[in-house]
Amino acid sequence: AAAAAAAAAAAAAGRGAARRGLSTMSQFGLYGLAVMGQNFALNVAEKGFSISVCNRSPAKVDDCVKRAGEELGANASNLKGFHDAEEFVTSLAKPRKVMFLVKAGAPVDACIDLFLDLLEPGDVLIDGGNEWYENSIRRAKRVEEKGIMYLAMGVSGGEEGARNGPSLMPGGPREGFDLIKPIIEKVAAQTDSGPCTTYIGGDGSGNYVKMAHNGLEYMDMQAIGEAYTILKSVGGFSNDELAQVFTDWNSAELDSFLIEITSIILGKKDVDVFNVATHKRLPADESRTLVDMVLDRTGNKGTGKMTVKEGADRAVAVGGISAALDARFIAFDKDARTEMAPLLDGPTQVPEVDKEQLIDDVRNALYCTKVCAYAQGMNLIRAASDEFDW
C-alpha cells in the first residue's frame, strides 16, 4: 500500500513537471551499455520513447549515441547519453524508471548501491540481467525499504532480440509493472497473440520464469538435435534435404524460432564465415555446409543446472530437461568421447527405411517431446508460484 501511494504521488509529480514545461525529460533510463544494453536502449528509442543512457565507462555512452545516429534516423534524438550517474537520473521524468543490464552478482549490488542514493520513493528500479531469483527477492526487500519499487525482469532473445524485440518477463510490485508496461509492450517482440510480455508475479518470479524458460529450451534443442541425427544417420538425408524438411516443419504445428533457425543453419554453406577473434574472413568452400565444420562440443551457462536443481528441491519431475543437460555434459567432454569411440561397438549397417514415413514419425516424436518440455517447465513454475504466492 505504501509503495502504491508513493507511486501515485510520484506520478502526480511527474504530470505536474510536464505541465511546467519539463516534458523534454526522458521517459526511461538504462544503465549498462554492453551490447545487450545498447541494443535494448536503441530498441526503446526506435519505438518512439525518449531514453537516457549511462555507463561506468564513458566510451560506451559515446558508442551508443553514435549508433543511435547511424541506426535510428529521425528517432536518434530520442536517445540521450550521460557520463555522470547523477545527471543521468536527473534527466528522467518522475516517477523515474531506471533499468540496468549488468552481470549477475556483485555488479547488481553495486548498481543498487548507486541508485538507492539517487532515486526517490515511487521510482522504479529494474534489473534486466539473468539473476538467481532468490537474490532478487532479497534485493527487492532492501530496495522497498526506501520506497522504491524493484522489478527483476528476464530478457530472452539475446543481442538480436534486445535490438529488435525480446521476450520480457517482469516480476515485482504490480504498481511498478504498470509504470513500465506502455514501454515494454512496444519494445517486446510482437506476435499474433500480442506482445511477448506480461506481468509475471511477485518478487523473483520474472527470474524464475526466465530460468525455467531456458531449462525447457535445453530439452527443446536436444530434441531438435536428436531429430537431425536420426534423419541423417538412419534416413541418410543430406544437409540440404534436412534444411527443406525443417523448413516444411516450420510451416505447420512445429512453427517456432528454433525450428526456423535450424532450417537456415542446415542450409548454410561454408562461405562468409569470419574468425571472431581476428574479424578476418575464413576460406570459403561451397561444396560443404557450415554445420559439418562446427565442433561438436557444447557448453552451458548454468540455467539448465538451476532448473534441474529446482526440480529436485521441489520434487517436480524434469527428467527430459535433466537428460538434455546430461547430453551437454557428455558433448562437452570431447576428449573422453574421442578416446572411447573405438572401444564401443555399434551397428555398421542401417536397414533401408521409408524416408517419408521416417519424416512423419520423427516430426510427431519431436512435437510430443516439445509438449513434454513445456509441461515440465510449467509444472515447475506452478510449484514455485504456489510456494511464493506469485
Side-chain angles (χ1 to χ4, degrees), residues 274-282:
F274 292 80
N275 184 316
V276 294
T278 63
H279 303 290
K280 291 183 178 179
R281 190 189 302 267
L282 298 176

Side-chain angles (χ1 to χ4, degrees), residues 12 17 33 45 64 89 129 138 140 142 164 183 185 210 220 249 261 300-301 330-331 344 354:
L33 296 174
C64 190
V89 170
R138 169 180 58 80
R142 177 190 172 205
N164 299 308
I183 296 175
E185 284 192 338
K210 176 61 163 56
D220 196 345
W249 285 355
I261 63 172
N300 71 90
K301 292 186 176 180
I330 294 169
L344 299 175
D354 181 328

Side-chain angles (χ1 to χ4, degrees), residues 83-98:
H83 294 169
D84 179 78
E86 186 171 357
E87 291 179 1
F88 162 70
V89 170
T90 302
S91 74
L92 302 174
K94 297 181 181 181
R96 303 179 184 95
K97 297 166 281 291
V98 176

Side-chain angles (χ1 to χ4, degrees), residues 30-33 54-56 85 88-89 98-119 125-129 131 139 142-143 148 150:
L30 192 141
Y31 184 90
L33 296 174
C54 186
N55 193 75
R56 186 174 62 175
F88 162 70
V89 170
V98 176
M99 177 176 173
F100 58 86
L101 272 165
V102 298
K103 290 183 179 179
V108 174
D109 291 309
C111 278
I112 292 173
D113 290 340
L114 172 66
F115 288 112
L116 281 186
D117 291 335
L118 299 175
L119 297 177
L125 187 59
I126 308 145
D127 176 11
E131 186 55 271
R139 289 167 178 146
R142 177 190 172 205
V143 171
I148 297 167
Y150 188 79

Side-chain angles (χ1 to χ4, degrees), residues 223-232 234-235 237 242 245-246 249 253-254 355-369:
I224 291 172
E226 292 181 9
Y228 159 83
T229 300
I230 292 170
L231 292 174
K232 191 174 183 67
V234 177
F237 289 84
L242 286 169
V245 168
F246 277 87
W249 285 355
E253 73 274 8
L254 289 174
K355 285 192 171 185
E356 291 304 317
Q357 184 63 51
L358 183 63
I359 290 173
D360 285 342
D361 290 344
V362 173
R363 186 192 77 242
N364 290 330
L366 181 55
Y367 184 76
C368 180
T369 305

Side-chain angles (χ1 to χ4, degrees), residues 25-30 40-41 43-52 92-93 95-99 124 126 153 165-166 168 170 176-190 195-197:
M25 301 178 79
S26 294
Q27 297 164 281
F28 197 76
L30 192 141
F40 194 90
N43 187 357
V44 172
E46 192 168 54
K47 296 303 187 297
F49 299 101
S50 55
I51 179 171
S52 296
L92 302 174
R96 303 179 184 95
K97 297 166 281 291
V98 176
M99 177 176 173
V124 185
I126 308 145
M153 182 167 69
L168 301 172
F177 168 78
D178 288 340
L179 290 173
I180 67 169
K181 179 181 176 182
I183 296 175
I184 66 172
E185 284 192 338
K186 293 289 187 182
V187 169
Q190 305 296 311
C196 287
T197 188

